[in-house]
Amino acid sequence: MAGTVAVYYSVGFEPETRGLVFGLWTRGTYVVLPVLREDGDLDWASFEGPESMVPGPRGLLEPGESRRGVAAVARADAVLVPALAVDRAGNRLGRGGGSFDRALARVGPLVPLIALLYDDELVDHLPAEAHDVPVRAVVRPTHGVTPLLAPT
């Protein structure tokens, strides 16, 4: 029932989000997608249909719409993030650039931060650093939504 959802547009072997993005958009949800900035941070822009997507850096597809600013993610009702793995405390292993950690640091504590994973990508423990922002839940194909414990 979220009015605004921030979500990544899948590429390569990431869990598929293109159908989800399109489905949310067609039902009237305001969908914002990340736009990778030159400094490695994430800006956000509206998804206005598949034809609004344009090639971006690192093989990404990004919305060609006007940028909403790095703080746009803070106005989302839910944030869906990519991950290579997540542990049961919510520590997320990304691709190492820190872009999503910077973006997630702007999101309030009550907003669902959800990583989309394959079944075997929820693990018992991952290393974490002070700047890492834990996710609050994961979604896996055969397990659905799994809420996670906050790190202690």
Side-chain angles (χ1 to χ4, degrees):
M1 300 308 295
T4 300
V5 175
V7 60
Y8 67 99
Y9 205 68
S10 58
V11 295
F13 295 104
E14 294 175 329
E16 208 304 306
T17 64
R18 294 176 184 205
L20 173 64
V21 167
F22 185 75
L24 288 168
W25 177 70
T26 58
R27 71 176 278 277
T29 300
Y30 181 60
V31 178
V32 293
L33 301 175
V35 177
L36 186 62
R37 294 169 24 136
E38 286 184 21
D39 65 1
D41 206 345
L42 296 178
D43 204 329
W44 299 85
S46 303
F47 176 78
E48 297 298 334
E51 65 282 350
S52 72
M53 302 302 289
V54 298
R58 300 183 190 167
L60 301 173
L61 285 175
E62 302 174 334
E65 305 299 315
S66 298
R67 306 302 182 246
R68 303 290 183 220
V70 296
V73 69
R75 296 186 292 276
D77 299 307
V79 182
L80 305 179
V81 300
L84 298 174
V86 173
D87 71 16
R88 297 194 180 275
N91 297 310
R92 184 182 67 88
L93 178 62
R95 296 185 184 263
S99 299
F100 266 94
D101 284 315
R102 280 180 281 213
L104 297 180
R106 298 179 179 107
V107 178
L110 300 179
V111 175
L113 301 178
I114 304 165
L116 304 181
L117 302 176
Y118 293 110
D119 287 329
D120 61 348
E121 294 175 339
L122 180 62
V123 300
D124 289 331
H125 179 74
L126 289 172
E129 297 183 27
H131 68 270
D132 292 333
V133 177
V135 296
R136 299 175 183 126
V138 299
V139 175
R140 297 175 291 158
T142 63
H143 299 280
V145 178
T146 303
L148 301 173
L149 302 173
T152 55

